[in-house]
Amino acid sequence: MKSPNMKNKRPTLQDVADLVGVTKMTVSRFLRNPDQVSAPLQTKIAEALEDLGYIPNRAPDILSKSKSHAIGVLLPSLTNQVFAEVIRGIESVVEPAGYQTMLAHYGYSKEAEESRIATLLSYSVDGLIISESYHTERVRKMLAVAGIPVIEIMDSVSPPIEQAIGIDNEAAAYAMTEFMIKKGRRKIVYFAARMDQRTLFKIKGYETAMLDNGLTPLCLKTNSASSFTLGATFLKDALQQQPDTDGIFCTNDDLAIGALYACQKAGIKVPQDIGIAGFHGHDISRAMVPLLTTVITPREEMGRLAAEHLLSRLQGNPVSQRIIDLPFKIEAGESV
Amino acid sequence: MKSPNMKNKRPTLQDVADLVGVTKMTVSRFLRNPDQVSAPLQTKIAEALEDLGYIPNRAPDILSKSKSHAIGVLLPSLTNQVFAEVIRGIESVVEPAGYQTMLAHYGYSKEAEESRIATLLSYSVDGLIISESYHTERVRKMLAVAGIPVIEIMDSVSPPIEQAIGIDNEAAAYAMTEFMIKKGRRKIVYFAARMDQRTLFKIKGYETAMLDNGLTPLCLKTNSASSFTLGATFLKDALQQQPDTDGIFCTNDDLAIGALYACQKAGIKVPQDIGIAGFHGHDISRAMVPLLTTVITPREEMGRLAAEHLLSRLQGNPVSQRIIDLPFKIEAGESV
DNA sequence: CCATGTTTTGTTACAAGTAACATTATCATA
DNA sequence: TATGATAATGTTACTTGTAACAAAACATGG
């Protein structure tokens, strides 16, 4: 035997070949198409593979072909249920197609984004799904140099690097604000957390709608992550700053639900005294009492579509549509 | 120039070296420790790297060292908030340590688990975090052959392959059932979805506690995933099968909250008429009205600890403790 | 039974870094 | 200035699978 595996290392094709008495090329052929190998050898090779517990090694293939059969997914955070659902959508497409997902997150920091993208590229991912529409020059250059398909998700407004799939957050916030105004709300306060680009778009939509209707916008902001507790805190602040507040529009469902429960505890009637609206339409908002008024966003579909378009591009198809603007929906609910 | 990059491929160390007029070895040295290279070259190499937009390529390193600086994470599902939080915990440790996460899920299917593990191993992950305590012979063999550290999470009871970090689901369910009994509940029904191993443990804990107290267990089961809607459906079923039901213990918070809202809609008072308890203690359960009675499990900590122990093992430390049994907590809440 | 075609197996080279060793340049001191 | 030490750079080999080409084995028909 040439190089018996005495080092207790994972067996290689060579080890299998040695065991059978052929060259590793023959074993390699068997693995990809057994019929390329004579019948007796098929049996022996299959046995040897099983015997040694051979597990293929992608590294050489990645090295020579620069293709890893993995796609990189870079999201701002994993804390947020929104992104968990996006991941689910991506996985539902990518996994059956035989691709592996490499997940990374950058905590809303631009430097971290640069380094995460470099890392993902260093693994030779075949394609990337990233979020946020603003990227540094460095990031743009890296992506250009890498020459792999890139899809941006979440936002459908800014001009994409190649292709964007998302919703128009500003329009959605505008629509919800108008909805609340139509329902007779006048003193509507906006609760904003995690001041990322999407939140800024939403604030703009809210403020524009207020001003368009001759009303005065009031926005409570913080950079920390949203939570139920934060919704309760914001409620207190809002009532202090504007005691006659009759509407609250939150940048996401968490804040809205937190505010709603805080109202219940404080004896404030929803929607009679204050109307509360959320954003996203998570499952809980469609089950709770009262049903939450919210903007339903296609989070899972966004992931699914992004993955589908990415795979299509990996098969050589060109970008079919630079911006895919997915519809949102105003869910009337019972809380406004 | 030797091999100018005319093929529009991502630049290699050789391309950078050619541009500077040195060998790639010099550039390689610069990248890992700039001071190994003379001052004038440092400047020139840095410029060339920037100029070409060089991105390191991990493949050759993975090939020669069989180390990828990536760890594989295999979970049953991504649909479940529990696992999203586990992932968050893992990432919070793994990412700052400079490791990359490769995420996979297997939808509770044993064959899928085999194939996902093979895939992760084929990428030469340095370590694995997996869940569920039962694994096929094939899986065990693959892991043995791969010779990388493996940590099993979620369950702290079954004998681990190497190391397990989790909670004692049976004990937790027993404790909650006893708590409900102490609160005066007698006709307690268990709502079970997704009949995985953890659910089976919980059912056992519930049934034992009921029998130990001379009560008759009744368990509603389904193999589908849990949801708020399912909680409502189960409530209807329970009241039909046992009209004098005075307690409901759910395999997770989703079912419990779904059942609770269904009660509110049906005019059934919680906890006066029926006491409801959940499992996990997600954020929502600690914010809602009434506060949910639930078992608080350390999901994020589980991920964090698993990652920490894995990294420690990757640094050559031995398994310090084969089973790490994390504490759960009965949260009294207001719904029982 | 040989020529030709077809099937099966083997050989060689290559992908992009880096370890290990080899060589050359630089410098201080005898 | 020669010597040896040290710093800076170069060379070679290696990692594992597979493409591309080469050779051998076997089959078929005239």
Side-chain angles (χ1 to χ4, degrees):
Chain A
M1 24 178 162
K2 270 185 194 166
S3 73
N5 206 326
M6 7 182 83
K7 307 181 255 177
N8 206 35
K9 266 183 47 195
R10 183 168 139 178
T12 68
L13 272 195
Q14 186 66 58
D15 297 319
V16 180
D18 289 350
L19 193 62
V20 177
V22 292
T23 56
K24 57 182 181 166
M25 198 60 226
T26 307
V27 183
S28 170
R29 287 192 182 101
F30 172 83
L31 282 175
R32 281 170 305 154
N33 181 2
D35 288 337
Q36 279 180 94
V37 165
S38 64
L41 270 187
Q42 285 185 23
T43 328
K44 286 173 74 179
I45 293 177
E47 274 173 22
L49 287 169
E50 188 66 26
D51 214 37
L52 293 176
Y54 174 77
I55 300 163
N57 183 347
R58 282 214 121 92
D61 214 45
I62 298 176
L63 178 56
S64 52
K65 298 219 216 8
S66 301
K67 293 236 169 305
S68 60
H69 254 230
I71 69 144
V73 177
L74 183 60
L75 297 171
S77 140
L78 301 173
T79 310
N80 196 315
Q81 203 189 334
V82 172
F83 296 117
E85 292 177 27
V86 168
I87 293 173
R88 201 195 304 169
I90 294 173
E91 273 280 314
S92 75
V93 171
V94 149
E95 187 267 303
Y99 279 79
Q100 176 62 41
T101 304
M102 292 199 92
L103 190 64
H105 68 111
Y106 58 92
Y108 300 91
S109 137
K110 284 296 155 197
E111 298 108 71
E113 185 188 19
E114 280 185 9
S115 104
R116 295 300 169 282
I117 287 187
T119 303
L120 289 173
L121 292 177
S122 78
Y123 283 100
S124 307
V125 290
D126 296 354
L128 270 177
I129 296 177
I130 63 182
S131 65
E132 296 289 312
S133 42
Y134 167 74
H135 307 283
T136 62
E137 252 328 295
R138 270 183 110 77
V139 165
R140 287 172 182 277
K141 175 158 189 181
M142 280 197 281
L143 295 176
V145 165
I148 58 171
V150 176
I151 294 187
E152 291 162 276
I153 55 171
M154 304 314 291
D155 175 36
S156 67
V157 175
S158 317
I161 298 179
E162 292 174 3
Q163 188 170 27
I165 299 177
I167 68 161
D168 184 337
N169 286 283
E170 183 179 338
Y174 190 100
M176 177 54 93
T177 310
E178 282 234 303
F179 175 84
M180 295 180 79
I181 295 171
K182 276 207 194 90
K183 287 273 179 183
R185 310 292 159 171
R186 288 292 170 271
K187 307 285 248 174
I188 306 170
V189 184
Y190 193 90
F191 288 4
R194 180 66 77 201
M195 306 299 286
D196 61 6
Q197 217 171 42
R198 271 158 289 123
T199 302
L200 297 178
F201 279 133
K202 290 183 214 168
I203 291 175
K204 197 166 158 220
Y206 154 76
E207 289 181 339
T208 312
M210 289 295 277
L211 295 172
D212 283 358
N213 286 275
L215 301 172
T216 313
L218 171 58
C219 186
L220 301 187
K221 300 174 188 176
T222 172
N223 228 326
S224 51
S226 63
S227 64
F228 299 116
T229 330
L230 182 59
T233 312
F234 268 159
L235 177 74
K236 209 172 288 179
D237 295 355
L239 290 176
Q240 199 174 326
Q241 287 185 42
Q242 191 180 74
D244 56 344
T245 294
D246 63 0
I248 291 170
F249 180 17
C250 299
T251 216
N252 61 41
D253 287 350
D254 291 11
L255 289 181
I257 294 172
L260 198 152
Y261 286 136
C263 283
Q264 292 187 352
K265 282 180 196 155
I268 300 169
K269 281 190 193 125
V270 177
Q272 292 83 348
D273 303 334
I274 294 184
I276 297 181
F279 202 103
H280 279 316
H282 289 298
D283 286 350
I284 178 81
S285 74
R286 329 272 313 255
M288 61 193 291
V289 181
L291 289 176
L292 189 68
T293 300
T294 191
V295 180
I296 298 186
T297 58
R299 305 169 298 282
E300 191 159 351
E301 191 190 355
M302 216 181 280
R304 208 164 44 230
L305 273 177
E308 277 166 5
H309 280 264
L310 190 62
L311 291 182
S312 156
R313 303 248 314 270
L314 288 178
Q315 277 152 26
N317 302 318
V319 174
S320 51
Q321 202 182 343
R322 270 178 68 81
I323 292 189
I324 296 178
D325 181 37
L326 297 178
F328 54 85
K329 194 176 152 244
I330 302 294
E331 176 71 31
E334 304 161 349
S335 66
V336 170
Chain B
M1 21 177 164
K2 269 186 194 166
S3 73
N5 206 327
M6 6 182 82
K7 308 182 252 178
N8 205 38
K9 266 182 48 196
R10 183 169 139 178
T12 68
L13 271 194
Q14 186 65 60
D15 297 320
V16 179
D18 290 350
L19 194 61
V20 177
V22 292
T23 57
K24 56 181 182 168
M25 199 59 225
T26 307
V27 184
S28 170
R29 287 192 182 100
F30 172 83
L31 282 175
R32 282 170 303 155
N33 180 2
D35 288 337
Q36 278 181 93
V37 166
S38 63
L41 270 188
Q42 285 185 24
T43 329
K44 287 174 74 178
I45 293 177
E47 274 173 22
L49 286 168
E50 189 66 25
D51 213 38
L52 294 176
Y54 174 78
I55 300 163
N57 184 349
R58 281 216 122 91
D61 214 45
I62 299 176
L63 178 55
S64 53
K65 298 220 215 10
S66 302
K67 293 237 170 302
S68 60
H69 253 228
I71 68 143
V73 176
L74 184 59
L75 298 170
S77 142
L78 301 174
T79 310
N80 197 313
Q81 203 189 332
V82 172
F83 296 117
E85 292 176 28
V86 169
I87 292 173
R88 202 194 305 168
I90 293 173
E91 273 280 315
S92 75
V93 170
V94 148
E95 187 268 304
Y99 279 78
Q100 176 62 42
T101 305
M102 291 200 91
L103 189 65
H105 67 112
Y106 58 91
Y108 302 90
S109 137
K110 284 296 155 196
E111 297 109 71
E113 186 187 18
E114 281 185 10
S115 104
R116 294 303 168 280
I117 287 187
T119 302
L120 289 173
L121 291 177
S122 77
Y123 283 99
S124 307
V125 290
D126 295 353
L128 270 178
I129 296 177
I130 63 181
S131 65
E132 296 289 314
S133 43
Y134 167 75
H135 307 283
T136 62
E137 251 330 295
R138 272 182 108 78
V139 164
R140 286 172 182 277
K141 174 156 190 182
M142 280 196 284
L143 295 176
V145 166
I148 57 171
V150 176
I151 294 187
E152 291 161 276
I153 55 171
M154 306 313 293
D155 175 36
S156 67
V157 174
S158 318
I161 297 179
E162 292 174 2
Q163 188 170 27
I165 298 176
I167 67 161
D168 184 338
N169 286 282
E170 184 179 337
Y174 190 99
M176 177 54 92
T177 309
E178 282 232 303
F179 175 83
M180 294 179 80
I181 295 170
K182 276 206 194 92
K183 287 274 176 182
R185 311 292 159 170
R186 289 292 170 271
K187 307 286 250 176
I188 306 170
V189 184
Y190 193 89
F191 289 3
R194 179 67 76 202
M195 306 300 287
D196 60 7
Q197 217 171 41
R198 270 157 291 124
T199 302
L200 297 178
F201 280 131
K202 291 183 215 167
I203 291 176
K204 198 165 157 222
Y206 154 77
E207 288 180 341
T208 312
M210 290 295 277
L211 295 172
D212 283 358
N213 286 276
L215 300 171
T216 314
L218 171 58
C219 185
L220 302 186
K221 299 174 188 176
T222 171
N223 228 324
S224 50
S226 62
S227 65
F228 300 116
T229 329
L230 182 60
T233 312
F234 268 158
L235 177 74
K236 209 173 287 179
D237 295 356
L239 290 176
Q240 200 173 327
Q241 287 186 42
Q242 191 179 75
D244 56 345
T245 295
D246 62 1
I248 292 171
F249 181 17
C250 300
T251 216
N252 61 41
D253 287 349
D254 290 11
L255 289 180
I257 294 172
L260 198 152
Y261 286 137
C263 283
Q264 292 187 352
K265 281 181 196 155
I268 300 169
K269 282 191 191 123
V270 178
Q272 293 81 349
D273 303 335
I274 295 184
I276 297 182
F279 203 102
H280 279 315
H282 289 298
D283 286 348
I284 178 81
S285 74
R286 329 272 312 255
M288 62 192 292
V289 180
L291 288 176
L292 189 67
T293 300
T294 190
V295 180
I296 298 186
T297 58
R299 306 169 297 283
E300 191 160 351
E301 192 191 355
M302 216 182 278
R304 207 164 44 231
L305 273 178
E308 277 166 6
H309 280 264
L310 191 61
L311 291 182
S312 156
R313 303 251 311 271
L314 288 178
Q315 276 152 27
N317 302 318
V319 174
S320 51
Q321 201 183 345
R322 270 177 69 77
I323 292 189
I324 296 177
D325 182 36
L326 297 177
F328 53 85
K329 192 176 154 245
I330 301 295
E331 175 70 31
E334 304 162 349
S335 66
V336 169

